Amino acid sequence: MDTCRVPANASKCSGNTMECFMVLSTQAQKISIAILCGLFGTMCVFENSLVLYLIFSSPGIRKKPSYLFIGSLALADILASIIFVCSFVNFHVFNEAGFSKEVFLLQLGGVNTSFSASLCSLLLTALDRYISISRPSEYKLLMTRKRAWTALGVLWLSCATIACLPLLGWNCCVLDSSCSELFPFVDDNYLSGWLCFVVVLLGCIVYAYAHVLWKARQHVAYMEKHQAQVGKQNTRMRMDVMLAKTLVMVLAVLVLCWSPVLALMIYSVFARLSVHLRKVFAFCSTLCLLNSMVNPIIYALRSKELFSSLRRVFSHFRRQLKAAEESPEADSTHKSSVIET
């Protein structure tokens, strides 16, 4: 097992340094974390998988760049949930510390890549909505599917590169520097840089959505003033306004769920964390799963296109069930008529 400098407030730990980060001391705490991760993780994977299916099974929806970005968000949430739940429960609940530094940093890089890609997908969606609302006549020329796929490729490659820096050598074991109090082997300077990256992303998202919401309010006022004018342009404008409001709700949930985790991370950079705060951080981390679980519910309730696609899927499923239930009755009726004959 690799060893490196132990956090100052964990000086009582001895031997395996990984044990210093296992802060859940009672069986009740471990069971609670396991239940939360299991519930949120399972629902998150199911709901986001359903969103991906609805997007890519409908030709009309998957051609729109807006839903490509939402699909990227759903994919990021799926990957983050799977990697986070498996590594988090394995470490904090089962106290598995037998893996190497490289394996742990690879798992952490996967979680960071997924959550960073989730934030970047929200930013691309905000920019897409802003262009759609502010320049509707030029939207199809500015936001093509090729440009959308290129942006998504750059997004995922950038997030993966930043997240894998500790695995590539920017860690406290290689540099012999101070380790983070929250994550094994993670250098404090890297954590500070990653936090700056996330804060800048959130700031850009909030700024972009502020403009989107302002434009949406202007369009709502315009539509109320010209209610007699009904046409294709007004219909599309209503859809853009609805999607903009939906994504503002997604952003609000994101900020509420991520604020406690980011606040404790920032605090750990400037001050020592008590064991109690580190336990609080472990439980607050599950809010990230809650955020990934709530997002698809918002899509289904607010997006008319996704909701219509979901209704078609349920209708098709009900017809199949009905046909399966009726087929044995038909077979028995056919057999009885043959016997009578």
Side-chain angles (χ1 to χ4, degrees):
M1 171 61 65
D2 300 276
T3 59
C4 46
R5 190 175 303 177
V6 181
N9 69 330
S11 57
K12 294 183 180 180
C13 295
S14 61
N16 191 347
T17 59
M18 296 288 283
E19 295 176 355
C20 304
F21 297 87
M22 298 176 182
V23 295
L24 302 182
S25 55
T26 66
Q27 197 68 19
Q29 293 173 354
K30 294 179 181 181
I31 293 176
S32 300
I33 284 289
I35 292 175
L36 290 174
C37 288
L39 177 62
F40 293 162
T42 302
M43 292 299 296
C44 177
V45 171
F46 171 75
E47 292 172 1
N48 283 285
S49 299
L50 181 60
V51 169
L52 283 178
Y53 174 77
L54 293 177
I55 291 175
F56 290 100
S57 64
S58 175
I61 294 179
R62 69 168 177 260
K63 292 180 180 179
K64 298 182 178 181
S66 304
Y67 290 100
L68 290 180
F69 298 145
I70 291 177
S72 174
L73 177 62
L75 176 62
D77 287 338
I78 291 174
L79 294 177
S81 300
I82 295 174
I83 302 173
F84 177 84
V85 169
C86 292
S87 58
F88 196 77
V89 172
N90 191 44
F91 185 80
H92 284 290
V93 177
F94 297 107
N95 297 137
E96 289 290 337
F99 41 79
S100 64
K101 174 191 69 178
E102 288 74 18
V103 172
F104 179 85
L105 291 178
L106 180 62
Q107 292 176 349
L108 184 63
V111 174
N112 285 346
T113 298
S114 303
F115 281 129
S116 300
S118 179
L119 288 176
C120 290
S121 298
L122 273 176
L123 178 59
L124 287 181
T125 309
L127 296 176
D128 173 77
R129 287 301 86 206
Y130 179 74
I131 295 174
S132 176
I133 290 181
S134 62
R135 305 172 70 175
S137 59
E138 304 174 23
Y139 174 76
K140 290 186 177 180
L141 296 176
L142 295 174
M143 188 59 68
T144 61
R145 294 184 75 244
K146 183 179 180 180
R147 289 181 178 179
W149 281 112
T150 302
L152 289 176
V154 173
L155 178 158
W156 280 90
L157 182 60
S158 302
C159 292
T161 302
I162 294 174
C164 289
L165 288 177
L167 182 63
L168 298 176
W170 192 355
N171 59 74
C172 57
C173 294
V174 173
L175 301 177
D176 193 24
S177 56
S178 178
C179 294
S180 167
E181 293 183 298
L182 296 174
F183 306 101
F185 312 121
V186 174
D187 180 69
D188 267 336
N189 292 327
Y190 171 79
L191 181 59
S192 301
W194 186 82
L195 285 172
C196 291
F197 170 68
V198 171
V199 170
V200 169
L201 272 180
L202 287 174
C204 292
I205 292 172
V206 171
Y207 180 80
Y209 274 112
H211 281 73
V212 169
L213 189 58
W214 177 61
K215 285 290 184 181
R217 290 179 65 87
Q218 283 187 328
H219 284 184
V220 169
Y222 174 83
M223 287 186 292
E224 290 177 351
K225 187 177 180 181
H226 302 81
Q227 289 181 353
Q229 299 178 2
V230 179
K232 186 177 181 180
Q233 183 177 2
N234 281 350
T235 302
R236 177 178 175 176
M237 193 179 297
R238 288 189 182 92
M239 292 177 62
D240 289 337
V241 170
M242 176 67 72
L243 188 53
K245 291 181 178 180
T246 299
L247 297 173
V248 168
M249 293 175 62
V250 172
L251 177 62
V253 173
L254 174 77
V255 172
L256 290 175
C257 291
W258 274 82
S259 294
V261 173
L262 292 177
L264 288 172
M265 284 186 186
I266 294 173
Y267 182 77
S268 70
V269 173
F270 299 100
R272 294 181 180 179
L273 292 177
S274 64
V275 176
H276 176 70
L277 284 179
R278 292 166 70 193
K279 290 181 181 180
V280 171
F281 176 79
F283 279 92
C284 288
S285 299
T286 60
L287 292 176
C288 303
L289 290 176
L290 178 63
N291 169 61
S292 300
M293 185 186 74
V294 171
N295 284 345
I297 299 176
I298 298 176
Y299 303 150
L301 293 178
R302 299 283 299 179
S303 173
K304 290 184 178 180
E305 291 174 300
L306 282 181
F307 187 71
S308 299
S309 181
L310 182 62
R311 289 180 61 184
R312 286 195 298 269
V313 170
F314 281 147
S315 298
H316 179 69
F317 182 69
R318 283 198 300 266
R319 285 196 298 268
Q320 286 185 331
L321 286 179
K322 188 176 181 180
E325 291 176 356
E326 292 177 350
S327 58
E329 297 177 2
D331 292 340
S332 62
T333 303
H334 174 73
K335 291 179 181 178
S336 62
S337 62
V338 171
I339 293 173
E340 291 174 0
T341 305

